Amino acid sequence: MNHVDIVPMQLSHLEGVLNLGHRAYDVNAMPYTSWSLSSVAAHWDAQPEACWVAVDDEGLLGFVLGSLSYDEREDWGYLEWIALDERARGKGIASTLVERCCTALFAAGASRIITDVEAGNEASASMMRRNGFTEGVTVTLFTRPNPSHPAPPAAHPLRDPARTRLRRAARTANTP
């Protein structure tokens, strides 16, 4: 791997971020069902200074996307998306991306930063702990399908209520 640069996300990085996200996240499983162009755009529009990429001479190695407003808490930042290409893992790149994102969110007024890690993803959980995050509230999502009416495959992706609030906050912040 060549020299790595950590730079603010630009339009030229968009395709690489989308492609890496689709490789990194199982978009058929919660909480990743909302990974899309609009997911990236919502963060980039709302808080571009909290969106960073790692690149080398071969291209995009990783990204982090964060923004202010977590659920109803406008003073909390949300480090929502982070992914690394396999060739970049174990080199401290994710930690650098996390630090850049957190620095930007604190500078924008966040009193704390929230992130979530999928159960069983111990590598990501360990990386977050190394970067100053601690386990806070734990929530287990339980589901029970209706046995009388098996759900057909969804015609469209499920809506994430937190993402809906983030989009609404971004739109409100951008209106005069």
Side-chain angles (χ1 to χ4, degrees), residues 53-133:
V53 297
V55 294
D56 70 0
D57 292 340
E58 295 179 46
L60 188 93
L61 293 168
F63 66 85
V64 65
L65 305 175
S67 61
L68 283 178
S69 296
Y70 177 77
D71 282 340
E72 302 303 320
R73 294 294 308 253
E74 293 183 13
D75 63 325
W76 288 8
Y78 190 21
L79 190 160
E80 185 170 11
W81 301 103
I82 184 167
L84 286 182
D85 187 85
E86 291 213 14
R87 66 190 175 96
R89 293 185 184 154
K91 299 176 179 10
I93 295 169
S95 290
T96 303
L97 288 166
V98 166
E99 187 57 35
R100 296 283 175 94
C101 181
C102 289
T103 297
L105 291 172
F106 286 133
S111 63
R112 69 183 60 223
I113 298 169
I114 305 298
T115 194
D116 52 75
V117 175
E118 185 176 6
N121 188 342
E122 191 51 42
S124 290
S126 294
M127 188 269 301
M128 290 302 179
R129 285 185 203 103
R130 283 191 309 273
N131 284 281
F133 286 84

